[in-house]
Amino acid sequence: MIDKIKGGIIVSCYAGNDYPGDINAEMANPIAMAYVANSVVAGGAAAIRTNLANLKAVREMVSVPVIGIHKVSDENNPGDFRITPTMKEVDELVKNGADGIAIDGTKRPRYDDLTLEEFIHQIKAKYPDLLLIADISTVEEGIAAYQYGADMVGTTLSGYTPYSKNPIVFGTIPTPEPDYDIIRELKKHGIENIIAEGRYHSGEQLMKGFEAGATAIVVGTSITSPKKIVQTLLYDAKQAGGK
């Protein structure tokens, strides 16, 4: 599956209400997301990344690889979530047709009694052919997840944990630049399979990500969130009007 997505764009057709403040909630409809997925594949997307609520509908609509995730929030802190944190979510994603899954690869407290290493080994033992991506926020987390057996490391959470090198607030407009340095550092440490994700919205940024060493790059809300697209257009217009 890595060969199928190498050098390509993965579009994150994520829209949900999995936790308070979840992203792109206005588009949280499986049929809507399935048609968005169909459209971006027609435009050249190599794969789709989507959440459990939309996975089955998306899987039925497209023939490219589909990467599934499911965010679970902390009962005591509803806004704090983890990406596919337990085997329960993994089983549900596989059942609904995921070709690959992304899990939380950060050092934050997990939602089961397993270490990240034990969790990865458990997934690999049960689903040896499933592409496993560890979403991380630091180089150290990426190195560890890769050593534990993750097939790929995703830079999805770079900037979005309190201890990230350059913490930012999700949804900030104007959108900050992607983290190219984390890709370079991961490559220096021998991690071959990297999915770059986070704040990519132009062809120039895609080229910089690939030049840094990304295997594939995820583009998300700049394509699939009309709300953010309009907000960005209005912001850019206001900035242009002030010149």
Side-chain angles (χ1 to χ4, degrees), residues 11-15 23-24 27 33 36-37 40 49 219-229:
V11 176
S12 179
C13 294
Y14 185 104
I23 66 170
N24 206 17
M27 291 287 288
M33 279 295 103
V36 170
V40 298
R49 172 172 164 133
V219 181
T221 54
S222 62
I223 292 176
T224 60
S225 174
K227 178 177 73 174
K228 183 178 180 181
I229 294 168

Side-chain angles (χ1 to χ4, degrees), residues 97-108:
D99 300 299
I101 62 165
I103 64 170
D104 199 297
T106 68
K107 65 181 182 181
R108 297 175 297 177

Side-chain angles (χ1 to χ4, degrees), residues 56-139:
K56 186 176 180 180
V58 169
R59 174 70 286 169
E60 292 174 351
M61 183 70 77
V62 302
S63 59
V64 298
V66 178
I67 299 164
I69 70 169
H70 183 51
K71 295 178 182 178
V72 179
S73 63
D74 184 347
E75 293 180 359
N76 299 316
N77 185 7
D80 186 27
F81 67 85
R82 301 290 183 271
I83 298 171
T84 321
T86 74
M87 187 57 73
K88 177 179 179 291
E89 290 79 47
V90 173
D91 289 338
E92 290 175 343
L93 291 167
V94 172
K95 180 181 178 181
N96 281 273
D99 300 299
I101 62 165
I103 64 170
D104 199 297
T106 68
K107 65 181 182 181
R108 297 175 297 177
R110 293 176 42 75
Y111 295 166
D112 57 23
D113 295 327
L114 302 176
T115 65
L116 177 61
E117 182 175 14
E118 290 169 337
F119 185 42
I120 290 175
H121 289 173
Q122 188 180 77
I123 296 170
K124 280 298 182 181
K126 190 169 184 178
Y127 302 110
D129 297 326
L130 184 69
L131 181 73
L132 180 58
I133 303 160
D135 286 342
I136 53 87
S137 65
T138 67
V139 173

Side-chain angles (χ1 to χ4, degrees), residues 197-220:
E197 181 172 3
R199 307 181 294 282
Y200 287 89
H201 58 86
S202 73
E204 181 181 0
Q205 290 173 334
L206 292 176
M207 289 307 302
K208 287 182 179 179
F210 283 123
E211 289 169 357
T215 304
I217 297 177
V218 173
V219 181

